Amino acid sequence: MLAVWTLSRAYLRKKKLQNGLIALLILLSTLLLATSSAVISNTSNIFTDRHNAENGSHQLLLLGAGLHDPQFVHDWWKKQEGVTASELMPYRSLSGINYQGKETANMYLYMMDTQGTPPRVDNLAVAQGAKSEQPEQGTVWVPTSLASSHGLHAGDTIEFNTGNHRFELTISAVVIDIPFGGPFATSARIWMNNEDYKEQLQEMPGTDKYMLALRFEDYEEQGGYWERFEQALGSPYLESKMEFEEIASFYLIINQVIGFIMVFLGIVMMLVALYTIGFTISDAILSQYRTIGVLKTIGLTANKIIAAYVLQYACLASIAVIPGLMASNWISRLIVASSLSVLRTEHNDISLQGTAEAIVIGAAMFLLVIICVLFHTNKARSVQPVQAIRYGMSEEESSKLTGRLLAGGAESRGRGFGRFPVAAVLGFRHIQKHRKGSLLMLILATVTTAVLVLGFILMNSIFSIKQTASLWGYDSSDIAVTIVNKAAFSREKFEQELLADSRIKNIGWIGYANSVIPYADARSLNINTSVVDGSYEEMGYTVLKGHNPRNKNEIAIGVNVSRELGKEIGDVVEVYVQGHKYNLAVTGIYQAIANMSYSARMTADTIRMHNADYNDMEISLINLHDSEQSDAFVKALNAKQGESVSAVTQQTLLDAVYKEAVSVLIVPMSLMGLLFLFVTFIIIYTTCRISIRKEGKTYGIYKSIGMTANKIRISVTLGIVAVAALGTALGVFIGVYVLPFMLGSVLVNYGLVELPLILSWGGIVAMAATSLIAAFLGSWLSSRVIKGTSPRILVEE
């Protein structure tokens, strides 16, 4: 055993650079795999734990259209065993807030009349400030999603506009409101004091609307409850309903993307580490062939020689795995805390789980290293002591080498290398002679470029989402105008003024209605439906197949609705809207991130078949001949229309939603890009340095016949850069086409069949060049050893 330990310690001490490289690769593999596992598992666990802790709802019924008696609905659900139903929660709707003189864009508000009794479902945990049974008069509670996206804090004063008047309230608490608290939320519940609710909102037109939250002891049984409920109701449930999947989706989506990328890169890094260990061991056995032969002649068995290698790499793996797991805990905490900050309170930070999974990953990494070492060190068994001492290799390999040397001159002439510059020939020879190291560099350049390119494409696509808004399910109009005060607004006059403006290209109107589509087993889909008065095409809505509805008997459906119902273009669906039944032909299928593609599109003429006076469309979408004038047009329109409307650019609306995605993605994507750049540089530097030391005599001969050190360095660097350039080209292809396709498969359930990406080739080339520069620097700096060594010493070595 002493001999095994002595050999192992000698291997560790003799090749510090090579051992350090392998330890680094093992560490980074462990880091990426453990981090991805922690991010994916903790995202789901943290949301589930918070949802359970606050007795979160599985379904939220919004009873605002007057199609069902809210009291009957509440009483029926309250009587059901296995279901916890909240009290009816009265609310009124407003659009946006004003904070520090700035109007928020794309924010739909539910102004809640807060109940004095503790809620049975959807408790409101205080993230910031103080909470009582209900807000004090003159104050409100706001959800963490609204607070984080608009920089609101307890103690801030915000202004609301009813259309008839404005009023100010102070934030007394920021609360975690599960159904409306997810990232990228475009709606929020504002919890008001009962007196403030009566004083400020009762003068608004219409009557109170109601919410009812439901929590099931077994969510899988909810289908049976709904079948019995609709039998008692005497019709399908025709009002709006928010499902648990919709509530959970945006808490999870970003970390699903990050986790997928990290899993892929972690596996790649692990394979690179195992490959490096394999060719390092193979190279060590070849270079120490004579030594192994000597060790066998003095009585050291093959098993003990193999044990020395196993002990060496077991030490390296032990040294690397533990720091990798520790670093992964810190990085995963950073990612999860950033993406799920809406679930964090001042008093209780987000705590990570999954220590057991991390230990399993570390143990698996250690085991894979040992298996890889055992596989490659098995070659030591075939070493014959006499052949090793005489030839320094097996007799068969010695014969092959002699044959290659004799044929080398004719082979080189046959290849025509004499026609190429000396630097190019020497560079190619370096690559050819060190094939395994060159293959490793090729793989690293490919992966690094793919990571950088994918990261750039994702970030650029989110930054430039206006260009692909229609592929995300949004309109691509220039301006959206929301009617704030219907009493003071005249649509006819508004349209006349707009159409008289030479800057206007076209205008249209859009509203939203809840639709119900019954299907098999007495089930039904409650979906959000866009209702357009005008042309979907002019407003910039697109479809994946077919076309948007143009006539009153047509409908377009989201991809998840199509999948759920099994409906394709040309099929007829039975739809209930505002209590009336319609049989509509499917003309188009589209994708939309909003509502996970559980949505539909129809024309206003469809609803007018049963409601001739229907005109309930509160948003006007406007296109200009010159979209660059959008900001100036919006400013002038808001000044002219006063309190009756609120106009914003489409870019503002999109930024309000997706700026959070940029802030969450930028840290992990940048970290992974820099990590792979660093690894590429270190591995190329180390591999080149090792190969240059092996070729010491050869380079000494080159210097002795007149080649300068710089020419030799240029030759070596030229070969490495050529390999890296090939890897970079492959990496660009993988980053542009392969990885987005794989990532798209993760987002299919979120309603995105085709990931809308923007390919800016200037930026893609810049990312590829960054990878190439890392390879160049690694090879050029590693070759400095040639410059500082005399020819005599090199030849003597």
Side-chain angles (χ1 to χ4, degrees):
M1 188 61 194
L2 179 61
V4 171
W5 169 244
T6 303
L7 273 176
S8 180
R9 191 173 57 183
Y11 293 153
L12 286 168
R13 192 170 53 232
K14 186 178 180 182
K15 297 183 177 181
K16 295 186 180 68
L17 193 62
Q18 204 170 53
N19 290 327
L21 167 65
I22 291 170
L24 176 65
L25 289 173
I26 296 171
L27 186 152
L28 293 177
S29 304
T30 308
L31 170 66
L32 286 171
L33 289 172
T35 300
S36 62
S37 172
V39 167
I40 292 173
S41 63
N42 278 282
T43 298
S44 179
N45 291 339
I46 289 169
F47 170 75
T48 302
D49 290 347
R50 176 62 71 181
H51 188 266
N52 291 334
E54 309 308 332
N55 213 36
S57 57
H58 289 121
Q59 291 172 338
L60 189 68
L61 312 187
L62 287 83
L63 302 158
L67 301 176
H68 302 296
D69 178 10
Q71 195 62 51
F72 172 84
V73 174
H74 169 263
D75 292 344
W76 191 92
W77 282 106
K78 195 169 183 179
K79 295 175 183 176
Q80 305 308 305
E81 292 186 7
V83 182
T84 304
S86 71
E87 298 300 321
L88 283 174
M89 297 175 281
Y91 73 92
R92 294 293 186 99
S93 301
L94 293 180
S95 178
I97 62 171
N98 186 302
Y99 174 60
Q100 295 182 343
K102 294 182 179 179
E103 293 277 357
T104 62
N106 202 29
M107 184 56 64
Y108 188 82
L109 303 178
Y110 299 95
M111 310 300 291
M112 309 298 297
D113 183 3
T114 310
Q115 308 295 306
T117 56
R120 304 176 66 198
V121 184
D122 286 332
N123 299 323
L124 302 173
V126 177
Q128 189 184 124
K131 184 188 166 193
S132 53
E133 288 188 358
Q134 65 172 307
E136 298 293 332
Q137 194 165 2
T139 69
V140 290
W141 301 335
V142 301
T144 49
S145 55
L146 179 64
S148 63
S149 61
H150 294 88
L152 303 178
H153 301 88
D156 291 343
T157 299
I158 52 180
E159 184 182 67
F160 302 90
N161 181 12
T162 66
N164 295 317
H165 71 284
R166 290 177 176 266
F167 62 95
E168 291 185 344
L169 296 171
T170 301
I171 300 172
S172 59
V174 177
V175 296
I176 297 174
D177 189 356
I178 298 291
F180 294 92
F184 324 121
T186 56
S187 57
R189 289 197 287 199
I190 307 296
W191 299 88
M192 299 179 67
N193 175 273
N194 178 259
E195 295 300 322
D196 289 330
Y197 182 85
K198 291 177 180 178
E199 180 182 346
Q200 304 295 350
L201 303 179
Q202 287 301 312
E203 293 181 2
M204 291 178 63
T207 58
D208 284 348
K209 303 173 184 177
Y210 296 91
M211 290 187 190
L212 178 66
L214 303 176
R215 180 177 176 85
F216 299 88
E217 288 184 8
D218 183 357
Y219 182 59
E220 298 298 323
E221 298 295 324
Q222 55 96 13
Y225 285 103
W226 273 93
E227 185 176 347
R228 294 192 296 274
F229 171 61
E230 291 186 337
Q231 287 174 357
L233 202 59
S235 72
Y237 173 75
L238 302 174
E239 300 249 24
S240 298
K241 178 173 64 170
M242 185 183 294
E243 298 283 359
F244 176 72
E245 291 77 12
E246 183 182 345
I247 294 171
S249 62
F250 285 107
Y251 286 98
L252 310 178
I253 185 171
I254 283 293
N255 283 351
Q256 292 284 349
V257 172
I258 294 171
F260 162 79
I261 295 172
M262 282 193 159
V263 166
F264 173 79
L265 297 180
I267 292 172
V268 170
M269 186 69 81
M270 179 187 70
L271 294 175
V272 168
L274 296 177
Y275 177 83
T276 304
I277 290 171
F279 94 75
T280 300
I281 291 173
S282 298
D283 182 71
I285 290 174
L286 289 175
S287 61
Q288 296 171 1
Y289 208 91
R290 184 173 278 116
T291 304
I292 293 172
V294 171
L295 291 173
K296 282 191 170 183
T297 59
I298 60 176
L300 208 62
T301 64
N303 284 339
K304 289 185 177 180
I305 294 171
I306 290 171
Y309 284 107
V310 171
L311 185 59
Q312 173 193 353
Y313 287 97
C315 290
L316 292 176
S318 300
I319 293 169
V321 165
I322 295 173
L325 294 177
M326 293 172 64
S328 78
N329 182 65
W330 178 77
I331 294 173
S332 56
R333 186 181 301 276
L334 179 69
I335 294 171
V336 172
S338 174
S339 60
L340 293 181
S341 59
V342 292
L343 295 177
R344 184 172 55 188
T345 70
E346 282 184 335
H347 311 292
N348 293 308
D349 202 356
I350 290 175
S351 59
L352 295 188
Q353 303 172 11
T355 303
E357 290 89 340
I359 292 173
V360 169
I361 288 172
M365 193 68 208
F366 182 88
L367 185 62
L368 282 171
V369 169
I370 299 303
I371 292 171
C372 179
V373 173
L374 287 171
F375 177 79
H376 287 92
T377 52
N378 200 49
K379 297 176 183 178
R381 296 184 186 278
S382 62
V383 175
Q384 300 297 321
V386 175
Q387 293 179 11
I389 294 170
R390 180 176 181 181
Y391 301 112
M393 61 187 75
S394 67
E395 187 173 359
E396 183 181 358
E397 287 298 320
S398 178
S399 300
K400 289 180 181 178
L401 178 61
T402 303
R404 284 199 297 268
L405 289 172
L406 293 174
E411 187 179 344
S412 297
R413 287 191 296 273
R415 288 176 181 161
F417 283 155
R419 294 175 294 175
F420 294 98
V422 174
V425 174
L426 296 183
F428 179 79
R429 180 186 178 280
H430 182 88
I431 295 169
Q432 187 185 37
K433 192 168 184 181
H434 303 280
R435 293 177 182 175
K436 290 185 177 180
S438 299
L439 180 59
L440 177 61
M441 295 177 199
L442 177 72
I443 294 170
L444 277 171
T446 301
V447 176
T448 301
T449 305
V451 172
L452 292 172
V453 167
L454 177 64
F456 170 78
I457 290 174
L458 285 178
M459 300 303 294
N460 183 57
S461 297
I462 295 173
F463 271 119
S464 309
I465 196 170
K466 177 69 167 67
Q467 299 176 35
T468 56
S470 60
L471 295 175
W472 293 88
Y474 302 108
D475 65 278
S476 57
S477 57
D478 296 323
I479 297 165
V481 181
T482 303
I483 302 172
V484 178
N485 187 348
K486 289 185 178 181
F489 178 80
S490 169
R491 173 172 167 174
E492 183 179 351
K493 182 180 177 181
F494 181 75
E495 287 183 338
Q496 286 176 353
E497 291 177 355
L498 287 181
L499 293 174
D501 194 321
S502 60
R503 293 173 294 177
I504 299 293
K505 183 179 180 182
N506 54 60
I507 63 173
W509 293 87
I510 186 169
Y512 299 95
N514 182 67
S515 299
V516 178
I517 305 178
Y519 66 115
D521 302 325
R523 291 181 293 171
S524 59
L525 277 180
N526 289 69
I527 59 177
N528 187 278
T529 303
S530 302
V531 182
V532 159
D533 195 355
S535 169
Y536 276 101
E537 281 72 21
E538 287 183 355
M539 297 180 192
Y541 286 98
T542 60
V543 294
L544 297 177
K545 295 188 289 186
H547 61 81
N548 281 304
R550 298 164 186 164
N551 302 307
K552 60 185 179 182
N553 62 338
E554 296 176 345
I555 188 172
I557 57 177
V559 291
N560 277 338
V561 175
S562 171
R563 186 181 299 117
E564 187 90 8
L565 301 178
K567 297 291 185 179
E568 290 293 333
I569 293 173
D571 293 338
V572 175
V573 295
E574 182 182 284
V575 185
Y576 287 85
V577 184
Q578 295 186 341
H580 298 289
K581 178 181 173 181
Y582 302 84
N583 289 305
L584 304 176
V586 177
T587 62
I589 297 173
Y590 63 91
Q591 64 176 18
I593 188 82
N595 303 110
M596 299 172 63
S597 287
Y598 282 102
S599 58
R601 297 170 183 167
M602 62 177 62
T603 67
D605 289 337
T606 303
I607 299 181
R608 288 174 185 149
M609 292 166 66
H610 289 283
N611 183 0
D613 297 327
Y614 176 77
N615 199 26
D616 191 18
M617 287 158 287
E618 299 180 353
I619 300 173
S620 176
L621 301 179
I622 302 172
N623 285 309
L624 304 179
H625 289 290
D626 182 6
S627 59
E628 296 295 325
Q629 298 180 353
S630 297
D631 290 325
F633 188 90
V634 163
K635 187 175 181 180
L637 186 61
N638 282 325
K640 184 176 182 180
Q641 295 291 329
E643 299 292 318
S644 62
V645 303
S646 173
V648 291
T649 64
Q650 175 73 345
Q651 186 66 60
T652 303
L653 293 175
L654 293 170
D655 287 346
V657 177
Y658 288 98
K659 67 181 181 181
E660 291 182 66
V662 173
S663 62
V664 173
L665 276 174
I666 196 166
V667 171
M669 294 305 300
S670 300
L671 183 65
M672 284 185 280
L674 291 173
L675 185 66
F676 270 84
L677 276 174
F678 173 73
V679 169
T680 299
F681 171 80
I682 291 296
I683 289 182
I684 289 179
Y685 177 89
T686 307
T687 306
C688 285
R689 194 173 177 88
I690 292 169
S691 63
I692 287 169
R693 290 191 181 280
K694 287 182 182 178
E695 297 290 313
K697 291 182 180 180
T698 305
Y699 295 142
I701 294 169
Y702 292 162
K703 291 184 80 173
S704 67
I705 61 175
M707 281 192 74
T708 64
N710 280 339
K711 284 187 177 180
I712 299 173
R713 294 179 70 191
I714 290 171
S715 300
V716 174
T717 302
L718 187 64
I720 301 302
V721 170
V723 171
L726 178 59
T728 298
L730 290 172
V732 168
F733 176 80
I734 292 172
V736 171
Y737 299 107
V738 179
L739 289 182
F741 175 78
M742 295 172 65
L743 180 59
S745 65
V746 176
L747 299 177
V748 167
N749 290 333
Y750 290 93
L752 290 180
V753 177
E754 298 176 4
L755 192 60
L757 298 176
I758 296 173
L759 302 181
S760 175
W761 286 102
I764 291 171
V765 170
M767 292 297 104
T770 304
S771 176
L772 208 56
I773 289 170
F776 167 78
L777 290 175
S779 57
W780 179 255
L781 294 176
S782 67
S783 63
R784 284 184 302 179
V785 65
I786 298 173
K787 190 175 182 179
T789 312
S790 69
R792 176 178 295 179
I793 295 174
L794 287 171
V795 173
E796 286 175 354
E797 288 178 351

